[in-house]
Amino acid sequence: MANKSIQLLSIFVVLLGLWCLSDATKYRKMVGIYELRKGDFSIRVTNWGATIISVVVPDKQGKLADIVLGYDKISSYVVGTSYFGALVGRVANRIAGSRFTINGTPYHLYCNNGNNSLHGGHRGYSAVIWDVIEKVEGDSPYITFYYDSFDGEQGFPGDVDVHVTYKISPDYKLTVTMHAKPQNKLTPINLAQHSYWNLGGHSSGNILNHRVQIFASHITPVDSELIPTGEIASVDNTPFDFRKPMTVGSRISQLKGGYDHNYVVDSTPDELGLRRVAVVEESQSGRVMELWANQPGVQFYTGNFLNGTEGKGGAKYMQHAALCLETQDYPDAVHHPNFPNEIYGPGQAYEHVMVYKFSARK
């Protein structure tokens, strides 16, 4: 009943003007849709969940298409459960048992995925209104959103200042920069950008023929609840091996439902600390998406839980209608000392950079 009440309240807010009153600053925060455009390359975003609504790029013949799944109305993002295009946190992915301990102090989180916490809880960063700090036009247009994450939010300790910037450039690059700074307590932080990609166009069917290359020789295996076991396993001789380009559908039948696994990125960082994470290609359109990031892992997800959701333009998004590549720290790292640390404290800064490079092959 509590979940339904919260959901109804969120819908009420959206339908009555999409605003809320901040106790701290006493001003109304409006929900809006913002466009960044450079030539025939454009994206639309909203400050509801710092969400990417559309990404429009040309194919090999110059034909434009929107290549991310989403909705026509903001109200659909409010009630949706697929996290289309959202910025998720305070901790992306799953935390087992919805609890963890820091320096002997236990913390209990909101359960929204069975007994586990997923993507920050039932009202994580994907389900709040962010402030629009800056929107700049010019050669490389960008927009920056800010969220003041409060102590005890969804059970997480401490106040955290969170920023995300979306920037496009004339060479068809989309850069996503996420910053977070704890103010007064140690806390886990693991942000992720949760766009669903279909390079043929958001309504073009499934992605089983997309060719994917992931620059990772290991994964973190999961149990029946998709919680990491703590093992770091080689992809050798498994359907998880995408070190050479393979179609998504070539071995997906060997997995229950499809891919929903964290890969351990092992390519060499460039001078900016970014690693080449993955390359995706769709042959009919010729579109190519190359992803670089500075995080140790990437969640490869093939839209396993999509089941006919009505999206933009009345499109029906069925299972495997898109794929996600969510760069991240390893899931459930708070329970696995052998995983990279995701605990940050006052005076420390979390920084997560992603660069999507789009092109089209003739």
Side-chain angles (χ1 to χ4, degrees):
M1 180 64 76
N3 283 350
K4 290 183 179 178
S5 298
I6 291 169
Q7 188 178 72
L8 288 173
L9 178 59
S10 297
I11 297 171
F12 182 72
V13 168
V14 171
L15 295 180
L16 286 183
L18 297 171
W19 61 271
C20 70
L21 184 63
S22 168
D23 290 334
T25 58
K26 301 300 181 186
Y27 70 98
R28 290 179 178 180
K29 297 198 291 185
M30 305 298 295
V31 172
I33 296 174
Y34 308 88
E35 183 179 61
L36 304 177
R37 177 179 292 275
K38 197 65 186 176
D40 58 0
F41 177 31
S42 66
I43 71 169
R44 289 191 308 149
V45 296
T46 175
N47 58 322
W48 176 265
T51 297
I52 293 177
I53 293 176
S54 69
V55 175
V56 176
V57 294
D59 68 3
K60 61 185 177 183
Q61 297 177 333
K63 182 179 178 181
L64 299 179
D66 181 0
I67 59 173
V68 295
L69 275 56
Y71 302 109
D72 287 324
K73 299 178 180 179
I74 297 297
S75 57
S76 297
Y77 287 95
V78 174
V79 300
T81 58
S82 297
Y83 302 95
F84 286 150
L87 195 291
V88 296
R90 181 176 302 188
V91 175
N93 218 300
R94 292 167 177 83
I95 293 181
S98 300
R99 62 183 184 273
F100 61 90
T101 300
I102 298 178
N103 292 341
T105 300
Y107 296 96
H108 298 276
L109 308 177
Y110 191 97
C111 298
N112 64 327
N113 184 244
N115 293 320
N116 309 309
S117 173
L118 174 65
H119 294 330
H122 80 285
R123 196 169 184 269
Y125 295 173
S126 61
V128 298
I129 302 174
W130 295 57
D131 297 324
V132 181
I133 297 299
E134 189 176 28
K135 185 177 185 293
V136 175
E137 305 296 338
D139 193 51
S140 295
Y142 68 88
I143 188 168
T144 298
F145 298 128
Y146 166 76
Y147 181 61
D148 179 8
S149 183
F150 56 89
D151 185 19
E153 184 174 20
Q154 299 297 293
F156 289 100
D159 301 302
V160 180
D161 287 337
V162 189
H163 293 81
V164 58
T165 298
Y166 295 112
K167 181 174 75 172
I168 66 171
S169 55
D171 53 353
Y172 299 98
K173 290 181 184 177
L174 166 59
T175 301
V176 182
T177 306
M178 297 165 255
H179 294 275
K181 289 186 177 181
Q183 298 302 301
N184 43 31
K185 293 181 181 179
L186 291 168
T187 186
I189 302 173
N190 181 24
L191 308 180
Q193 216 301 317
H194 206 296
S195 286
Y196 287 66
W197 302 94
N198 186 321
L199 299 187
H202 76 93
S203 60
S204 63
N206 66 54
I207 44 78
L208 298 180
N209 287 327
H210 281 47
R211 292 179 65 83
V212 173
Q213 184 174 16
I214 302 175
F215 298 93
S217 56
H218 293 79
I219 62 167
T220 52
V222 295
D223 63 19
S224 61
E225 296 185 9
L226 298 177
I227 300 293
T229 63
E231 180 186 4
I232 297 176
S234 172
V235 300
D236 285 343
N237 301 312
T238 74
F240 299 105
D241 191 352
F242 283 90
R243 287 174 294 182
K244 294 182 179 179
M246 302 287 292
T247 62
V248 174
S250 60
R251 296 164 297 175
I252 199 170
S253 63
Q254 299 179 41
L255 304 173
K256 183 179 179 180
Y259 294 94
D260 194 2
H261 297 78
N262 175 65
Y263 281 72
V264 177
V265 180
D266 53 19
S267 56
T268 302
D270 66 9
E271 65 276 7
L272 299 177
L274 302 180
R275 295 175 177 175
R276 197 181 189 199
V277 176
V279 179
V280 183
E281 181 177 359
E282 199 276 317
S283 60
Q284 187 170 346
S285 67
R287 290 190 184 92
V288 179
M289 181 179 76
E290 185 175 344
L291 174 60
W292 292 68
N294 66 346
Q295 296 300 289
V298 59
Q299 189 81 8
F300 179 43
Y301 172 57
T302 50
N304 309 330
F305 299 109
L306 297 176
N307 59 359
T309 300
E310 184 172 343
K312 290 179 280 191
K316 296 292 186 181
Y317 299 142
M318 306 304 294
Q319 187 181 48
H320 310 317
L323 60 85
C324 301
L325 289 164
E326 308 155 56
T327 55
Q328 60 183 358
D329 285 318
Y330 300 174
D332 199 37
V334 290
H335 292 132
H336 302 288
N338 59 316
F339 285 4
N341 173 67
E342 66 176 14
I343 304 296
Y344 296 81
Q348 298 178 306
Y350 168 94
E351 182 173 351
H352 182 170
V353 180
M354 309 174 73
V355 179
Y356 301 93
K357 302 178 181 180
F358 301 100
S359 59
R361 293 176 181 166
K362 301 294 185 180

